Amino acid sequence: MSTELLAPLDLAFWHLETDAHPMHLGALAVFDPAPGAGPRELLELLGARAAAMPRLRMRVRDVLLPVGGAAWFTDKDFDVHRHVKRILLTGGDFMAQATRLAGELMEQPLERGLPPWQMYLLDSAGDGPFAVLVKLHHALADGMRAVAIGAGIFDQIASAGAAPGAVRRRTPVPPRSWLPGPYQAAGMALDRLGDVGRALGVGASVVRASRLDLRGSTALTARSSGTRRLATAELDADTVQRVRRTEGGTSNDVLLAVVAGALRRWMLERGEALPGADPRALVPVSRRRPGGAATGNRLSAYLLGLPVGEPDARERLRLVRTGMNRNKAAGPLRGAGAVAVLADQLPALAHRFGAPLAGNAARMLFDVLVTSVPLPRSALSLGGCPLRAVYPMAPLARGQSLAVALSTYAGRVQVGLVADGKALPDLDRLASAVHEELRELHALLPTVPAPA
């Protein structure tokens, strides 16, 4: 793997980035200590495992063809020490310090002349917990692939990849001309016509869903300051499942309703008037097929109105479930939220010159990103140190102040809230409201005992 063109959607993420709007994903993984695993050993282990992943040795360079395009090239001067670093935290509460520092590090764009990723080992002088902050550019992978890449640092995944049975033999491919034959050309033309038709359909949906009047903006759509803050919350996964079994729908419906209720609580507590129209969430949907391409972004999304104006928690859940059922009936390739599908049909030159316009238009389509990131179900560790929690972090769209990411591990739903630091200085209060909302929703359910 020495050269590979960026797919259109990857190219879009690459060109959407500005200094104030870095387009990287992140995760803060928190570990409990284990005997014999000191900072030096852990740093060396992180570096060795990251360097063993071919994808993390790739950097982006412009190409002549297609015009406006770019490609992944193996970095011949790759040095893992440029990417894996240690930061010593001193004094105070470790998690509070690690969370604050993670937000500050998420402000900083990745250096574009290097493979676009970073890992930081955050530890203190004692024998307490430590954390690893992972930053991966969105052009490198979507949420699912980011998890797969990041998981390569864990003992269980790294040892499985090193096993002799894990080596796959390539099936010989007969040589062929780079010029397509007449039947291939006809098939390619038909496929392209289908792509154009699908793009036109999605484009029409996006235009219909766009809002030209943005006077009803809230703190969620404040002017960007370029600063970042991280706040975290944890929810009991069994409680989420009990609500789902009683009310129907999916676990994701329950979590979306919890986010809506938490936003309502937070807005009312800070004295902010509830918006006349429900804020709209962009809910990413993976289009990745089992056994499909292992790299790049394969995304669509749903648009969902978060019913913050509804005072009843169970009714909010019903409204979310109804809205998501409507989205699923339309499918991830047809609704207005499928803007990523539209981006995947545009030529490279359109992304290079249209990125500023597309970035500014995000606010016309949605107010907040809410994404769920799947994690392995098995217990994980790094150098024998058990993984305690993983808080995912999503990038902020231009003109927006909050992105919400959720993941489930070890019976807990970990919530990562990334916000513009100046627009949402009370982000910790929103994190508390997330926990309070699930507790209230659970307490309202009939015939279900309250959690201990």
Side-chain angles (χ1 to χ4, degrees), residues 5 77 82 103 107 172-173 195 198 208 213 287 304 322 426:
L5 283 176
D77 300 320
R82 294 177 177 175
E107 290 180 15
V173 178
D195 291 343
R198 181 163 55 250
R208 287 194 298 269
D213 185 358
R287 295 192 293 130
L304 175 72
T322 301
D426 54 347

Side-chain angles (χ1 to χ4, degrees), residues 126-149:
D127 296 327
F130 67 92
V132 174
L133 173 65
V134 180
K135 292 169 56 175
L136 297 171
H137 200 285
H138 213 332
L140 186 65
D142 54 28
M144 290 185 69
R145 291 309 307 166
V147 168
I149 293 173

